[in-house]
Amino acid sequence: DQQVKQNSPSLSVQEGRISILNCDYTNSMFDYFLWYKKYPAEGPTFLISISSIKDKNEDGRFTVFLNKSAKHLSLHIVPSQPGDSAVYFCAASEGQGGSEKLVFGKGTKLTVNP
Amino acid sequence: DGGITQSPKYLFRKEGQNVTLSCEQNLNHDAMYWYRQDPGQGLRLIYYSQIVNDFQKGDIAEGYSVSREKKESFPLTVTSAQKNPTAFYLCASRDGAGWRGYTFGSGTRLTVV
């Protein structure tokens, strides 16, 4: 059973517009969430994270929102740039005493069109 | 600079042969992980190790083996028992006492013909 779900395999937006990538989770023990960005034939790179004690974290053009009651988080990219075109993975981690593993979603491929 | 090195970048093997993928890190991280990426499947955990001389199976361990004799190294062997070995393999590490995210290597693309 998938504990972290990214239901949109792909997303296409115009340069300058907002990109919104969504992620849902089922495990209520998750307390730390991350977004990774991955280009083809490369390893994922860390983008932004959020702890469950917060509902928003911002870093430049990237903002992650967390809605714990809905078990939902989203990544907003504003404004979107062609270089943002990549696969984005949502990942979640359990709290202290839980698993040391990150649980990943299947990814959303973002295409930003010039 | 500290990081994770995976080698080689591309690897070709004949069906029925075992092959070992290298993963070395100089980050002094305690935990190391092996993932496999297939189109539409995301990242699937093969094996992980939280300390030297100890490792656990992930979700898709069948047909794979690992060792963790040194903190810096976590090689993955893809055996002939793995039914679909052609994939992109990613190694990652994590500081057990610090940030809860992973640092990833650049990956190895294995093609079995």
Side-chain angles (χ1 to χ4, degrees), chain A residues 2-4 26 43-44 51 53 60 79 82 100 109 113-114:
Chain A
Q2 263 193 291
Q3 296 186 74
V4 177
T26 58
S51 166
I53 61 173
E100 295 286 329
K109 182 178 182 180
N113 300 303

Side-chain angles (χ1 to χ4, degrees), chain B residues 10 12 18-19 22 25 27 33 62 77-78 89 98 110:
Chain B
Y10 299 95
F12 295 87
N18 291 355
V19 60
S22 169
Q25 55 102 356
L27 299 165
Y33 307 81
E62 185 176 352
T77 297
V78 184
Y89 290 87
L110 173 64

